[in-house]
C-alpha cells in the first residue's frame, strides 16, 4: 500500500506541474513546441508507469460511507446555459436521450430510464481536481463497457469520445463545447461508469445531471459532465483541436492518470 501511495503522489505531482502551466496563465509557454513535446513525454510516462505498476484492470481505492466528504465542490460548469439543456431540465430529463454512435454496429439512443434499468455499479471513490482539491463521493451508474458491448464496437474503433451539453467557451467553430475521450483500456475498466446518482440521489445539475462520466484512475477534468453523445472513433485528430478533449486542446495532458 505504501508503494501505491507513493506512486499516486508522484503521478499527481507530475501531472499537476504540467497542467498548472495553463492554470497559471503561461499560455505562451504551453503553446510552444518545446513545451508541448515535454508534456507529451510526461504524459506517456504517466500512462506507461500506471499501467505497468498496476495493470490495466487494477482498481482505484474505494472507501466507505463514513469517508464521504461533507462538501463535494462542483468542478467546471455548474449550469449549462444552452436552450436544449434548459428544456431537458424543465422536463426532469424525461426527453433527454444519450446518443451512442460512430464506429459501432448498432447506433442507438437511450433514455435515462433505460440506462437506470440496466445493471449498475456503485463505488465510493476520491475525486482529485487539477486545481489541488479532493473529495470523496458515492457514485452509481452503468458500466461504460457494458453499454459499448450492447451496441458492438467496430474493429477499427480505438477511442471513445464523450460530447457534453455545456458550451464551456463561446467560439465560432464549435470548439468551445466540452468533450473528452478515453482509449479502450480505460473505457472497459470496471470502475469506468456513466453515473446518474451521487451519494444515493439523482445527480444534481451542478454535478452533471442527468449523466456524467466517472473514470476513477484519472484527474477530475476527465470526468465529463452533462453527457449527450458517445461515439467510437479510430483517431482523435479530426476532433476540434485534435488532442482528445477540451482542456487537452488547451495544453493539458490527454492521459491524466493518478
Amino acid at each position: 500500500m505504501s508503494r501505491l501511495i507513493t506512486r499516486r503522489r508522484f503521478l499527481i505531482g507530475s501531472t499537476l506541474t504540467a497542467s498548472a502551466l495553463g492554470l497559471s496563465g503561461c499560455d505562451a509557454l504551453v503553446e510552444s513546441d518545446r513545451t508541448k513535446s515535454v508534456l507529451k513525454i510526461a504524459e506517456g510516462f504517466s500512462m506507461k508507469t500506471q499501467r505497468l505498476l498496476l495493470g490495466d484492470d487494477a482498481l482505484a481505492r474505494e472507501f466507505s460511507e463514513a469517508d464521504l466528504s461533507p462538501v463535494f465542490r462542483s468542478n467546471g460548469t455548474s449550469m449549462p446555459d444552452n436552450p436544449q439543456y434548459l428544456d431537458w431540465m424543465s422536463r426532469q430529463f424525461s426527453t433527454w436521450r444519450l446518443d451512442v454512435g460512430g464506429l459501432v454496429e448498432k447506433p442507438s439512443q437511450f433514455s435515462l430510464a433505460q440506462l437506470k434499468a440496466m445493471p449498475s455499479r456503485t463505488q465510493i471513490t476520491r475525486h482529485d481536481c487539477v486545481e489541488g482539491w479532493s473529495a470523496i463521493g458515492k457514485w452509481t451508474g452503468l458500466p461504460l463497457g457494458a453499454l459499448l458491448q450492447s451496441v458492438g464496437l467496430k474493429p477499427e474503433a480505438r477511442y471513445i469520445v464523450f460530447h457534453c451539453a455545456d458550451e464551456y467557451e463561446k467560439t465560432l467553430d464549435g470548439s468551445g463545447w466540452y468533450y473528452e475521450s478515453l482509449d479502450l483500456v480505460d473505457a472497459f475498466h470496471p470502475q469506468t461508469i456513466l453515473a446518474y446518482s451521487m451519494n444515493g440521489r439523482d445527480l444534481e445539475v451542478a454535478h452533471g445531471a442527468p449523466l456524467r462520466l466517472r473514470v476513477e484512475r484519472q484527474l477530475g477534468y476527465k470526468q465529463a459532465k452533462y453527457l449527450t453523445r458517445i461515439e467510437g472513433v479510430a483517431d482523435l485528430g479530426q476532433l476540434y483541436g485534435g488532442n482528445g478533449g477540451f482542456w487537452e486542446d488547451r495544453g493539458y495532458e490527454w492521459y491524466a492518470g493518478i
Side-chain angles (χ1 to χ4, degrees):
M1 179 62 71
S2 61
R3 187 180 73 170
L4 296 185
I5 292 174
T6 301
R7 185 200 68 84
R8 183 181 180 89
R9 287 174 177 167
F10 169 76
L11 290 178
I12 290 175
S14 62
T15 304
L16 288 176
T17 299
S19 296
L21 291 172
L23 290 175
S24 63
C26 299
D27 293 335
L29 180 59
V30 171
E31 288 301 316
S32 75
D33 290 340
R34 182 179 180 85
T35 300
K36 288 179 180 178
S37 177
V38 171
L39 293 178
K40 283 291 184 183
I41 292 172
E43 173 190 323
F45 175 74
S46 174
M47 181 169 68
K48 290 178 181 178
T49 300
Q50 182 179 66
R51 291 180 176 174
L52 177 64
L53 292 179
L54 295 183
D56 291 347
D57 295 326
L59 301 180
R61 181 183 175 186
E62 296 193 14
F63 298 81
S64 71
E65 294 204 6
D67 299 310
L68 290 174
S69 297
V71 176
F72 197 116
R73 291 169 55 180
S74 169
N75 60 313
T77 301
S78 59
M79 172 63 79
D81 61 1
N82 81 76
Q84 178 68 81
Y85 183 85
L86 296 176
D87 182 67
W88 287 329
M89 187 175 66
S90 72
R91 302 172 189 269
Q92 289 75 54
F93 300 104
S94 62
T95 58
W96 170 91
R97 298 292 184 269
L98 177 69
D99 288 309
V100 183
L103 296 175
V104 301
E105 300 292 348
K106 297 182 294 183
S108 304
Q109 284 192 335
F110 298 90
S111 68
L112 186 58
Q114 287 175 313
L115 295 176
K116 288 183 173 183
M118 297 178 184
S120 66
R121 175 185 172 89
T122 296
Q123 56 202 32
I124 300 177
T125 53
R126 192 176 80 181
H127 180 103
D128 290 302
C129 181
V130 72
E131 294 174 341
W133 59 269
S134 298
I136 294 173
K138 178 180 178 181
W139 307 95
T140 298
L142 168 69
L144 174 60
L147 183 68
L148 296 176
Q149 287 175 335
S150 75
V151 298
L153 282 180
K154 293 185 177 181
E156 59 267 34
R158 295 182 56 214
Y159 302 95
I160 307 301
V161 180
F162 306 86
H163 299 274
C164 306
D166 54 328
E167 191 175 12
Y168 206 83
E169 185 178 282
K170 301 294 183 182
T171 62
L172 295 177
D173 62 358
S175 63
W177 290 92
Y178 206 92
Y179 80 105
E180 261 302 342
S181 62
L182 301 174
D183 66 10
L184 298 187
V185 171
D186 278 316
F188 282 91
H189 187 272
Q191 288 175 315
T192 299
I193 65 174
L194 303 177
Y196 44 73
S197 171
M198 177 184 177
N199 294 342
R201 301 182 298 275
D202 286 347
L203 280 179
E204 298 176 358
V205 169
H207 290 292
L211 195 72
R212 71 175 295 166
L213 175 66
R214 293 300 308 175
V215 51
E216 303 298 351
R217 301 196 302 178
Q218 297 203 41
L219 286 170
Y221 63 86
K222 300 294 289 190
Q223 327 292 324
K225 303 194 296 186
Y226 314 113
L227 296 180
T228 60
R229 181 163 60 95
I230 295 174
E231 63 174 332
V233 301
D235 66 78
L236 301 173
Q238 303 304 311
L239 293 165
Y240 304 115
N243 296 297
F246 175 88
W247 286 114
E248 291 87 329
D249 288 341
R250 290 155 178 80
Y252 283 43
E253 296 93 337
W254 174 76
Y255 185 78
I258 52 177

